[in-house]
Coordinates of all heavy atoms in Angstrom, one line a residue:
A1 N 0.8 -1.1 0.0 CA 0.0 0.0 0.0 C 0.9 1.3 0.0 O 2.1 1.2 0.1 CB -1.0 -0.1 1.2
D2 N 0.2 2.4 -0.2 CA 1.0 3.6 -0.1 C 1.8 3.9 1.1 O 3.0 4.5 1.0 CB 0.1 4.8 -0.4 CG -0.6 4.9 -1.8 OD1 0.0 4.1 -2.7 OD2 -1.6 5.4 -2.0
H3 N 1.2 3.6 2.3 CA 1.8 4.0 3.5 C 2.2 2.8 4.4 O 2.7 3.0 5.6 CB 1.0 4.9 4.3 CG 0.6 6.2 3.5 ND1 1.6 7.1 3.1 CD2 -0.4 6.5 2.9 CE1 1.1 8.1 2.4 NE2 -0.2 7.8 2.3
Y4 N 1.9 1.5 4.0 CA 2.2 0.4 4.8 C 2.2 -0.9 4.0 O 2.0 -1.0 2.8 CB 0.9 0.2 5.8 CG -0.4 -0.2 5.2 CD1 -0.8 -1.4 4.9 CD2 -1.3 0.9 5.0 CE1 -1.9 -1.8 4.4 CE2 -2.6 0.6 4.4 CZ -2.9 -0.8 4.1 OH -4.0 -1.0 3.5
L5 N 2.8 -1.9 4.7 CA 3.0 -3.3 4.0 C 2.1 -4.2 4.9 O 2.3 -4.1 6.1 CB 4.4 -3.7 4.0 CG 4.7 -5.1 3.4 CD1 4.6 -5.1 1.8 CD2 6.1 -5.5 3.9
R6 N 1.3 -5.0 4.2 CA 0.5 -6.0 4.9 C 0.9 -7.5 4.4 O 1.0 -7.7 3.1 CB -0.9 -5.9 4.7 CG -1.8 -6.9 5.2 CD -3.4 -6.7 5.3 NE -3.5 -5.5 6.2 CZ -4.8 -5.1 6.5 NH1 -5.8 -5.4 5.8 NH2 -4.9 -4.2 7.3
V7 N 1.2 -8.2 5.3 CA 1.5 -9.6 5.0 C 0.5 -10.6 5.7 O 0.3 -10.3 7.0 CB 3.0 -9.9 5.4 CG1 3.3 -11.5 5.2 CG2 4.1 -9.0 4.8
E8 N 0.1 -11.5 5.0 CA -1.0 -12.4 5.6 C -0.7 -13.9 5.1 O -0.4 -14.0 3.9 CB -2.4 -12.0 5.2 CG -3.4 -12.9 5.9 CD -4.9 -12.4 5.6 OE1 -5.3 -12.6 4.4 OE2 -5.6 -12.1 6.5
V9 N -0.7 -14.8 6.2 CA -0.4 -16.3 5.7 C -1.6 -16.9 6.3 O -1.9 -16.9 7.6 CB 0.9 -16.7 6.3 CG1 1.0 -18.2 5.9 CG2 2.0 -15.9 5.8
L10 N -2.4 -17.7 5.6 CA -3.5 -18.5 6.0 C -3.1 -20.0 5.6 O -2.6 -20.3 4.6 CB -4.8 -18.2 5.2 CG -5.2 -16.7 5.2 CD1 -6.4 -16.5 4.3 CD2 -5.6 -16.1 6.7
N11 N -3.4 -20.9 6.5 CA -3.2 -22.3 6.2 C -4.5 -22.9 6.6 O -5.4 -22.6 7.6 CB -2.1 -22.9 6.9 CG -2.2 -23.0 8.5 OD1 -3.0 -23.8 8.9 ND2 -1.4 -22.2 9.1
S12 N -4.8 -24.1 6.0 CA -6.0 -24.8 6.2 C -5.7 -25.8 7.3 O -4.6 -26.0 7.8 CB -6.4 -25.7 4.9 OG -5.3 -26.7 4.5
G13 N -6.7 -26.5 7.8 CA -6.6 -27.6 8.9 C -8.0 -27.8 9.5 O -9.0 -27.2 9.1
P14 N -8.0 -28.6 10.5 CA -9.2 -29.0 11.1 C -9.8 -27.9 11.8 O -9.2 -26.9 12.3 CB -8.9 -30.0 12.1 CG -7.4 -30.4 12.0 CD -6.8 -29.3 11.1
S15 N -11.1 -27.8 11.7 CA -11.9 -26.8 12.4 C -11.9 -27.0 13.9 O -12.0 -27.9 14.5 CB -13.4 -26.8 12.1 OG -14.1 -25.9 12.7
V16 N -11.6 -25.7 14.6 CA -11.6 -25.8 16.1 C -13.0 -26.0 16.7 O -13.1 -26.5 17.8 CB -11.1 -24.4 16.7 CG1 -9.7 -24.3 16.2 CG2 -11.9 -23.3 16.3
L17 N -14.1 -25.8 15.8 CA -15.4 -26.1 16.3 C -15.7 -27.5 16.3 O -16.5 -28.1 17.2 CB -16.5 -25.4 15.4 CG -16.3 -23.9 15.3 CD1 -17.4 -23.3 14.3 CD2 -16.6 -23.3 16.7
A18 N -15.0 -28.3 15.3 CA -15.2 -29.8 15.3 C -14.4 -30.5 16.4 O -14.6 -31.7 16.5 CB -14.8 -30.3 13.9
G19 N -13.4 -29.8 16.9 CA -12.6 -30.4 17.8 C -11.5 -31.4 17.3 O -11.1 -32.2 18.2
E20 N -11.3 -31.3 16.0 CA -10.5 -32.4 15.4 C -9.0 -31.8 15.5 O -8.7 -30.7 15.8 CB -10.8 -32.5 13.9 CG -12.3 -33.0 13.7 CD -12.6 -33.0 12.3 OE1 -11.9 -32.4 11.5 OE2 -13.7 -33.6 12.0
S21 N -8.0 -32.8 15.3 CA -6.7 -32.3 15.4 C -5.8 -33.3 14.4 O -6.0 -34.5 14.6 CB -6.1 -32.6 16.9 OG -4.7 -32.4 16.9
A22 N -5.1 -32.6 13.6 CA -4.3 -33.4 12.7 C -3.1 -34.0 13.4 O -2.6 -35.0 12.9 CB -3.9 -32.4 11.5
R23 N -2.6 -33.3 14.4 CA -1.4 -33.7 15.0 C -1.5 -33.3 16.5 O -2.3 -32.5 16.9 CB 0.0 -33.2 14.3 CG 0.2 -33.5 12.9 CD 1.5 -33.2 12.5 NE 2.4 -33.8 13.2 CZ 3.7 -33.9 12.8 NH1 4.1 -33.1 11.9 NH2 4.7 -34.5 13.7
P24 N -0.5 -34.0 17.4 CA -0.8 -33.7 18.8 C -0.6 -32.0 18.9 O 0.1 -31.5 18.2 CB 0.5 -34.5 19.3 CG 0.7 -35.6 18.4 CD 0.3 -35.0 17.0
D25 N -1.2 -31.7 20.1 CA -1.2 -30.3 20.3 C 0.3 -29.8 20.5 O 0.5 -28.5 20.3 CB -2.0 -30.0 21.7 CG -3.5 -30.0 21.4 OD1 -3.7 -30.1 20.3 OD2 -4.2 -30.3 22.4
R26 N 1.2 -30.6 21.0 CA 2.6 -30.1 21.2 C 3.2 -29.7 19.9 O 4.2 -28.9 19.9 CB 3.4 -31.0 21.9 CG 3.8 -32.3 21.1 CD 4.7 -33.2 21.8 NE 5.2 -34.4 21.0 CZ 4.4 -35.5 20.7 NH1 3.3 -35.6 21.3 NH2 5.0 -36.4 19.9
D27 N 2.8 -30.2 18.7 CA 3.3 -29.9 17.5 C 2.6 -28.7 16.7 O 3.1 -28.4 15.6 CB 3.3 -31.1 16.6 CG 4.1 -32.1 17.1 OD1 5.1 -31.9 17.8 OD2 3.9 -33.4 16.8
R28 N 1.6 -28.2 17.3 CA 0.8 -27.1 16.6 C 1.2 -25.7 17.3 O 1.6 -25.6 18.4 CB -0.6 -27.3 16.9 CG -1.1 -28.7 16.3 CD -2.5 -29.1 16.6 NE -3.5 -28.0 16.4 CZ -4.7 -28.1 16.7 NH1 -5.1 -29.0 17.3 NH2 -5.5 -27.1 16.4
P29 N 1.0 -24.7 16.5 CA 1.2 -23.4 17.2 C 0.3 -23.2 18.3 O -0.8 -23.5 18.3 CB 0.9 -22.4 15.9 CG 0.9 -23.2 14.7 CD 0.6 -24.6 15.1
K30 N 0.8 -22.4 19.3 CA 0.1 -22.1 20.5 C -1.0 -21.1 20.1 O -0.9 -20.3 19.3 CB 0.9 -21.7 21.5 CG 2.1 -22.9 22.0 CD 2.9 -22.2 23.2 CE 3.9 -23.3 23.6 NZ 4.7 -22.9 24.6
P31 N -2.0 -21.1 20.9 CA -3.2 -20.3 20.6 C -2.7 -18.8 20.7 O -1.8 -18.4 21.5 CB -4.2 -20.5 21.7 CG -3.9 -21.9 22.2 CD -2.5 -22.0 22.0
D32 N -3.3 -17.9 19.7 CA -3.0 -16.6 19.6 C -1.4 -16.2 19.5 O -1.1 -15.3 20.0 CB -3.6 -15.9 20.9 CG -5.1 -15.9 20.9 OD1 -5.8 -16.1 19.8 OD2 -5.8 -16.0 22.0
G33 N -0.8 -17.0 18.9 CA 0.7 -16.8 18.7 C 1.6 -16.9 19.9 O 2.4 -16.0 20.0
A34 N 1.2 -17.7 20.8 CA 2.1 -17.7 22.0 C 3.3 -18.5 21.8 O 4.1 -18.5 22.7 CB 1.2 -18.5 23.1
G35 N 3.6 -19.0 20.7 CA 5.0 -19.7 20.5 C 6.0 -18.7 20.5 O 5.9 -17.5 20.3
R36 N 7.3 -19.3 20.6 CA 8.4 -18.4 20.7 C 8.6 -17.7 19.5 O 9.0 -16.4 19.5 CB 9.6 -19.3 21.0 CG 11.0 -18.4 21.2 CD 12.1 -19.3 21.5 NE 13.3 -18.5 21.5 CZ 13.8 -17.9 22.6 NH1 13.2 -17.9 23.8 NH2 14.9 -17.2 22.5
G37 N 8.5 -18.3 18.3 CA 8.7 -17.7 17.0 C 7.8 -16.6 16.8 O 8.2 -15.6 16.3
L38 N 6.5 -16.8 17.0 CA 5.5 -15.7 16.8 C 5.7 -14.6 17.8 O 5.5 -13.4 17.3 CB 4.2 -16.3 16.8 CG 3.8 -17.2 15.6 CD1 2.3 -17.9 15.8 CD2 3.9 -16.6 14.3
L39 N 6.0 -14.9 18.9 CA 6.3 -13.8 20.0 C 7.5 -12.9 19.4 O 7.5 -11.7 19.5 CB 6.6 -14.3 21.3 CG 5.5 -14.9 22.1 CD1 5.9 -15.5 23.4 CD2 4.4 -13.7 22.3
G40 N 8.5 -13.7 18.9 CA 9.7 -12.9 18.5 C 9.3 -12.0 17.2 O 9.7 -10.9 17.1
L41 N 8.4 -12.6 16.3 CA 7.9 -11.8 15.2 C 7.2 -10.6 15.6 O 7.2 -9.5 15.1 CB 7.1 -12.7 14.3 CG 7.9 -13.7 13.5 CD1 6.9 -14.6 12.7 CD2 9.0 -13.0 12.5
R42 N 6.3 -10.8 16.7 CA 5.5 -9.7 17.1 C 6.4 -8.5 17.7 O 6.1 -7.3 17.5 CB 4.5 -10.1 18.2 CG 3.6 -9.1 18.7 CD 2.5 -9.6 19.6 NE 1.5 -10.4 19.0 CZ 1.3 -11.6 19.0 NH1 2.1 -12.4 19.8 NH2 0.4 -12.2 18.4
E43 N 7.5 -8.9 18.3 CA 8.4 -7.9 18.9 C 9.1 -7.1 17.5 O 9.3 -6.0 17.6 CB 9.4 -8.5 19.8 CG 8.8 -9.1 21.0 CD 9.8 -9.7 21.8 OE1 10.9 -10.0 21.3 OE2 9.4 -10.2 23.0
R44 N 9.4 -7.8 16.6 CA 10.1 -7.3 15.4 C 9.3 -6.4 14.7 O 9.6 -5.2 14.4 CB 10.4 -8.4 14.4 CG 11.6 -9.4 14.8 CD 11.8 -10.4 13.6 NE 12.9 -11.3 13.9 CZ 13.8 -11.6 13.1 NH1 14.0 -11.0 12.0 NH2 14.8 -12.5 13.4
V45 N 7.9 -6.7 14.5 CA 6.9 -5.8 13.8 C 6.8 -4.5 14.7 O 6.7 -3.5 14.2 CB 5.8 -6.6 13.7 CG1 4.6 -5.6 13.2 CG2 5.9 -7.7 12.6

């Protein structure tokens, strides 16, 4: 955009409403970006 850059990444997967899980919870991103990597990205941004 003229005054900002927007980056968005979407991925498919099981619906949280259905309560399904493709892999164990320990291998999935933590809710609301609580993982170390996403926390680091939030600080960078």
Side-chain angles (χ1 to χ4, degrees):
D2 291 338
H3 304 292
Y4 65 87
L5 177 75
R6 174 167 288 178
V7 179
E8 183 177 68
V9 182
L10 306 176
N11 69 70
S12 63
S15 172
V16 298
L17 298 178
E20 299 174 349
S21 176
R23 297 193 61 174
D25 287 343
R26 70 176 186 275
D27 294 333
R28 299 167 58 185
K30 297 181 181 179
D32 297 329
R36 178 182 179 87
L38 290 175
L39 283 175
L41 289 177
R42 184 172 285 113
E43 293 173 356
R44 287 181 184 227
V45 171

